Amino acid sequence: MIARFKDLCLDASDARLLGAFWARILDGELADAGGDDTRVDPRSARSDAESIWVNRVPEPRVGKTRVHLDLRLGDADPAALLGDGAQLVREPAGDVTWWVLADPEGNEFCAFGAREGTRPGPFELVVDSADPAAQATWWAGVLGGRVEYESSTTSVVGAAGFPWEYWVFQVVPEPRAVKNRMHWDVEMVAPEPTALLDAGATLVREPIDEARWWVLADPEGNEFCAFALRPTG
């Protein structure tokens, strides 16, 4: 393990509007993150890693959502989420037992009916991949955890700091073409990203001004921010 999962970030044209939506559906508190940015802190969160930073960006959303959350509903259907402003993209059909919804800026996510013994809210982070097994194996090498294989998906379970049940990499035919609107941050166990680069990450951007993070990309080009280890004492 050379890093631990830190949190999620979501690009937005209107970070306050989008942050308010996610705060409603996740039963979270909306915090001012400086400038036009916000942060959603779910009230039932078991760690800070469940927070979602919603950051204003100048470019509009284009292309398919390649990173998304799967949510467990508190009810049998997503009526409450639709009332909170979610858009219905696709209903369950055939073997597909979940709803595909979208937030006010068109970012899709999946909603699964309530299940006894589970709590409402996110339970999976899903990433489109050309080679799910390679991607999951790479991230398990970075954050620890075990790799579980299925026919079209490979998951990481028990990664350091990861707050949900599964980190799922699913096979898709199309390559990544634009920047992901959702990305994850990690906190390194070292003060700089040498170990990540040696493992196969690509440097996208060095820290700017007083920032303590590097922008890197994994082997399939998914950008993520790598934060320097916080000093102790």
Side-chain angles (χ1 to χ4, degrees):
M1 188 193 84
I2 55 179
R4 60 185 295 109
F5 189 93
K6 183 177 180 292
D7 48 38
L8 285 179
C9 294
L10 178 60
D11 288 353
S13 296
D14 187 333
R16 296 188 179 278
L17 177 67
L18 197 59
F21 167 81
W22 281 97
R24 287 195 301 274
I25 71 167
L26 296 182
D27 186 27
E29 297 180 353
L30 188 64
D32 189 334
D36 295 320
D37 299 340
T38 58
R39 189 184 69 246
V40 178
D41 298 325
R43 292 185 178 90
S44 61
R46 290 168 288 195
S47 77
D48 290 344
E50 292 190 53
S51 292
I52 301 175
W53 295 75
V54 186
N55 302 320
R56 184 181 180 277
V57 296
E59 67 275 5
R61 178 187 175 276
V62 294
K64 179 186 177 186
T65 302
R66 291 184 66 84
V67 181
H68 72 266
L69 284 169
D70 284 351
L71 273 57
R72 179 70 63 188
L73 299 172
D75 302 305
D77 62 60
L81 274 62
L82 296 173
D84 282 331
Q87 307 161 34
L88 177 63
V89 177
R90 191 174 67 239
E91 300 230 17
D95 293 336
V96 176
T97 59
W98 58 89
W99 291 261
V100 179
L101 307 179
D103 68 19
E105 292 199 1
N107 302 296
E108 294 181 2
F109 60 97
C110 297
F112 292 71
R115 177 181 294 176
E116 187 176 355
T118 63
R119 65 168 186 157
F123 69 98
E124 295 181 331
L125 179 65
V126 183
V127 185
D128 286 357
S129 308
D131 188 337
Q135 280 288 93
T137 299
W138 191 84
W139 277 103
V142 170
L143 300 183
R146 70 179 187 275
V147 178
E148 297 186 349
Y149 300 92
E150 300 289 343
S151 58
S152 61
T153 67
T154 309
S155 302
V156 180
V157 180
F162 192 78
W164 303 298
E165 294 176 56
Y166 301 103
W167 191 356
V168 181
F169 295 87
Q170 64 179 10
V171 68
V172 297
E174 69 279 355
R176 179 180 176 275
V178 296
K179 177 188 175 188
N180 296 334
R181 295 292 276 188
M182 177 176 278
H183 74 266
W184 52 91
D185 296 337
V186 303
E187 186 170 55
M188 302 175 291
V189 299
E192 39 72 37
T194 300
L196 282 165
L197 296 172
D198 288 345
T202 302
L203 176 64
V204 177
R205 193 180 70 223
E206 297 269 3
I208 298 173
D209 298 327
E210 299 301 316
R212 65 180 191 91
W213 67 85
W214 288 256
V215 180
L216 305 179
D218 71 13
E220 288 199 1
N222 299 299
E223 294 179 355
F224 63 98
C225 294
F227 283 71
L229 180 68
R230 289 182 181 274
T232 57

